[in-house]
Amino acid sequence: MPTGFQCAYPPCQCYVEKRGEFCSAHCRQAQASGHLEGQCHCGHPACMGRSEEDQDGSTI
């Protein structure tokens, strides 16, 4: 099981060391732009391959 905290960008599934941190500049910019729905495209393994899941996180 992952340790730490989930990235501060809600659609992202990555984990970071401190609460409120972002895993990447992509997530920081997406959060700042207000784009909070859909899939995360940070490119990290935790977010890759999520196209098989719908937006609420359940598998199809």
Side-chain angles (χ1 to χ4, degrees):
M1 173 169 240
T3 59
F5 300 93
Q6 190 166 349
C7 176
Y9 178 49
C12 186
Q13 299 299 303
C14 295
Y15 282 83
V16 294
E17 290 184 15
K18 297 178 183 174
R19 185 181 310 273
E21 286 186 336
F22 296 92
C23 71
S24 65
H26 168 82
C27 289
R28 184 177 296 110
Q29 292 169 351
Q31 177 82 10
S33 73
H35 185 262
L36 304 176
E37 296 182 16
Q39 296 179 358
C40 178
H41 298 285
C42 68
H44 295 132
C47 291
M48 307 256 318
R50 293 204 59 217
S51 61
E52 295 177 5
E53 296 179 9
D54 63 22
Q55 289 186 4
D56 70 2
S58 61
T59 57
I60 297 174

